[in-house]
Amino acid sequence: MAAVRRKKERLVRSTDDSSGAKPTAPSVDVKKKLASAENDLRKAKKLHLIPWPVVAAVTFCSGFMWVFAMRDVFSTGKHINALDMPMQKFINSEVFYDDSKGWKSQKGGISIIQGYTTDANNMGGLLLRKVSGVAALAVHSHKLAPVLFQPDDLHWGYGHFDGIYFASVISNLAIFVLYHNYYDDMKSADADGIANLVLILLLTEAMILFIALLSRKISNISNKVKMINTSGKPSNAIVARIVGRTVAIVSSAICLIAIRDLFFPGQVISRIPRDDVYLEWTGAFIHSPPIDSPEYEENYLEAPLFVGDKFVSQLCALHLILSCLMKFTTAFFIKVGKDGSGKKKCKYFWKIQAITGLLLLFIFRLFAGAATSASLDLRWHLMLIGYEAGMFCLYGFL
């Protein structure tokens, strides 16, 4: 688009007398060239800019969800509006928010994290809520960043955002299904107001994104200017193999645990060291005690009372899976491309994944002391998350 604009400016300057005399009226040929340049500029803008319905939908819907995710990280348990208050009670997050001391209060922030674990402070449950917030930030930031900070070299009409936005449609539908499965429980706790709002936002955004992607595919605006692939790689090759291997190792391990927490909560994976300690620390044995286990005999009667904690645990797992979906999309599904734009696309989204990965590393590091007091070692978690975040920083910012 910048090249087309410069072409138009050169044509305008060419109509001026080089000797400094008063410029003459442009000739017919120059007028035709100017009209052609203006037409090319309009086409370039149409190819470059994300359609305004997508911008409006993502800004409002994902912006709302992004604010909620930020609240979960830095002000756990705070209700944003009157509709949100019953939801915080339903998921038992309000116990982490205390503003009784005014500006000296911790208010569910980072300072509420303690270096030891007791039944009263529930550090395992707090970890799930803050990690869920970080993962949600990662998911919704992938949708928000292109519409708020669209780079000059990434164009909607060329399909540069198709992979991420298609993954975003899947993400919205997955979160929608989880909220819908708990809707009756939320309604019984008078938390259906905020649940309805979240369901409407997720479904509306998913529909608009899907329609926009479909219309781009079937329209004629994708007639691309011929570009040369200067990357030296085949068009169907992945952008960076080292990033792909890192994501395959680290994110696959994260997905393994998250899939268990989502579909089989409370089930111990014997091959994972201290997995039973992790489940006990995060409260999984209370809301989802395994059948034919000592925990089941102890907690099966009161397990239904902790359905909100089970929802938080599964929502955290789902957000982690969806954040890993974004990583897999950039690492494996976005290829170099015929125009060589794959590296530009991946670098843009790797920056987001690097920032959110470092934030996740920071949160886990703060809980290291509390986990150690519960006989759970987080050093492997910190090493893997840090390695993946460092790789994203290396290839995203350098």
Side-chain angles (χ1 to χ4, degrees):
M1 189 167 65
V4 176
R5 189 181 293 107
R6 288 194 296 269
K7 177 182 177 182
K8 179 183 175 182
E9 292 173 353
R10 285 197 300 270
L11 288 172
V12 173
R13 287 196 300 269
S14 67
T15 62
D16 296 340
D17 188 2
S18 60
S19 62
K22 185 177 181 180
T24 59
S27 63
V28 176
D29 292 339
V30 173
K31 286 182 177 180
K32 289 182 178 179
K33 291 180 179 179
L34 283 172
S36 177
E38 290 177 352
N39 188 38
D40 291 342
L41 184 59
R42 286 194 296 269
K43 289 182 179 179
K45 287 182 177 179
K46 191 174 182 181
L47 286 170
H48 174 70
L49 296 176
I50 298 175
W52 69 263
V54 175
V55 174
V58 171
T59 302
F60 181 75
C61 300
S62 286
F64 189 88
M65 302 299 294
W66 194 90
V67 171
F68 268 37
M70 184 67 72
R71 181 275 313 275
D72 291 339
V73 179
F74 295 105
S75 189
T76 308
K78 177 180 175 58
H79 59 273
I80 293 180
N81 50 38
L83 288 176
D84 191 36
M85 186 182 299
M87 177 63 77
Q88 296 306 305
K89 293 181 179 179
F90 171 70
I91 62 177
N92 297 324
S93 289
E94 63 174 2
V95 297
F96 298 110
Y97 185 81
D98 178 23
D99 59 351
S100 59
K101 298 180 181 180
W103 64 272
K104 295 182 180 180
S105 302
Q106 295 174 325
K107 297 184 178 181
I110 299 299
S111 60
I112 198 176
I113 302 174
Q114 300 179 16
Y116 56 91
T117 295
T118 64
D119 293 337
N121 62 23
N122 190 16
M123 286 294 102
L126 182 62
L127 172 70
L128 292 181
R129 286 157 176 81
K130 291 193 178 294
V131 169
S132 178
V134 174
L137 282 176
V139 173
H140 299 301
S141 294
H142 281 82
K143 295 179 286 183
L144 279 170
V147 303
L148 298 179
F149 312 103
Q150 183 178 358
D152 293 336
D153 51 1
L154 295 182
H155 315 290
W156 168 267
Y158 289 8
H160 290 167
F161 303 108
D162 285 4
I164 287 296
Y165 277 143
F166 182 74
S168 299
V169 172
I170 297 175
S171 301
N172 280 22
L173 295 178
I175 301 173
F176 178 91
V177 170
L178 182 62
Y179 268 85
H180 186 268
N181 287 340
Y182 281 91
Y183 185 79
D184 291 337
D185 296 312
M186 294 176 181
K187 188 174 182 180
S188 63
D190 295 327
D192 55 324
I194 195 68
N196 288 329
L197 179 59
V198 171
L199 291 173
I200 292 172
L201 291 176
L202 291 171
L203 191 59
T204 300
E205 185 183 54
M207 290 178 59
I208 292 176
L209 281 176
F210 181 76
I211 293 172
L213 292 172
L214 186 63
S215 62
R216 195 207 66 77
K217 284 288 186 182
I218 64 178
S219 65
N220 294 323
I221 69 169
S222 59
N223 295 327
K224 302 181 181 180
V225 179
K226 187 175 180 180
M227 300 178 69
I228 301 175
N229 182 1
T230 59
S231 64
K233 297 181 179 181
S235 59
N236 61 347
I238 63 177
V239 175
R241 292 186 178 182
I242 184 63
V243 175
R245 286 193 292 267
T246 303
V247 170
I249 295 172
V250 178
S251 292
S252 295
I254 294 174
C255 284
L256 174 64
I257 299 174
I259 289 174
R260 185 276 311 276
D261 291 343
L262 179 62
F263 295 105
F264 310 100
Q267 301 298 318
V268 179
I269 301 177
S270 58
R271 292 185 178 274
I272 299 179
R274 313 293 289 177
D275 189 46
D276 55 338
V277 176
Y278 162 78
L279 292 175
E280 183 179 6
W281 186 51
T282 55
F285 286 159
I286 297 177
H287 60 69
S288 303
I291 299 177
D292 298 330
S293 67
E295 291 80 9
Y296 183 80
E297 296 294 333
E298 182 180 353
N299 299 318
Y300 80 98
L301 288 177
E302 58 185 26
L305 301 176
F306 295 90
V307 62
D309 293 86
K310 183 178 180 180
F311 169 72
V312 168
S313 176
Q314 291 185 305
L315 184 63
C316 175
L318 180 58
H319 281 150
L320 286 172
I321 293 171
L322 296 178
S323 65
C324 290
L325 173 63
M326 301 299 180
K327 299 175 192 176
F328 283 117
T329 300
T330 56
F332 297 105
F333 302 134
I334 295 180
K335 302 302 178 64
V336 173
K338 295 180 180 179
D339 57 359
S341 63
K343 184 177 180 179
K344 298 176 182 178
K345 292 184 283 186
C346 288
K347 283 178 68 70
Y348 182 73
F349 292 108
W350 282 341
K351 293 176 183 177
I352 300 173
Q353 293 164 11
I355 294 172
T356 54
L358 291 175
L359 180 58
L360 182 63
L361 176 66
F362 174 67
I363 294 297
F364 264 91
R365 179 62 185 88
L366 293 178
F367 280 94
T372 301
S373 69
S375 302
L376 181 64
D377 192 353
L378 293 183
R379 285 180 295 179
W380 277 98
H381 305 70
L382 294 171
M383 182 184 69
L384 291 175
I385 296 172
Y387 176 67
E388 186 181 54
M391 196 61 64
F392 285 136
C393 288
L394 179 64
Y395 281 84
F397 290 100
L398 300 181

